[in-house]
Amino acid sequence: MKKYEQFCHRSSHFFKKMALILILLAICSESFLYAHSTYAQQIVLTVNIKNGSLGDVFSSIEKNS
């Protein structure tokens, strides 16, 4: 009977650890899926400026975003 109790005690620790690992993996995979479709990855800007300054380029980007 004592061996059975030791086995149950060890197996319950194992299953608790496995459940924790599975929960952490689920959280990590969900965060990776969310990071896939962020604003910076979806927006495409076109800037056509000839003989302009760097400030003009930044101003155009600010207006279009």
Side-chain angles (χ1 to χ4, degrees):
M1 186 72 168
K2 196 169 192 176
K3 288 183 181 180
Y4 178 74
E5 289 174 3
Q6 289 175 348
F7 175 76
C8 290
H9 183 69
R10 287 182 192 159
S11 63
S12 68
H13 282 294
F14 174 76
F15 287 119
K16 287 179 184 178
K17 288 179 184 178
M18 289 302 293
L20 181 63
I21 290 171
L22 287 175
I23 290 170
L24 290 174
L25 282 174
I27 292 170
C28 290
S29 63
E30 183 178 334
S31 66
F32 287 130
L33 290 174
Y34 176 73
H36 176 67
S37 61
T38 59
Y39 175 79
Q41 294 173 348
Q42 293 176 353
I43 300 300
V44 176
L45 295 175
T46 303
V47 178
N48 292 320
I49 297 177
K50 294 182 181 178
N51 296 327
S53 68
L54 191 57
D56 296 335
V57 173
F58 288 134
S59 295
S60 176
I61 292 172
E62 286 178 355
K63 288 177 186 175
N64 291 329
S65 63

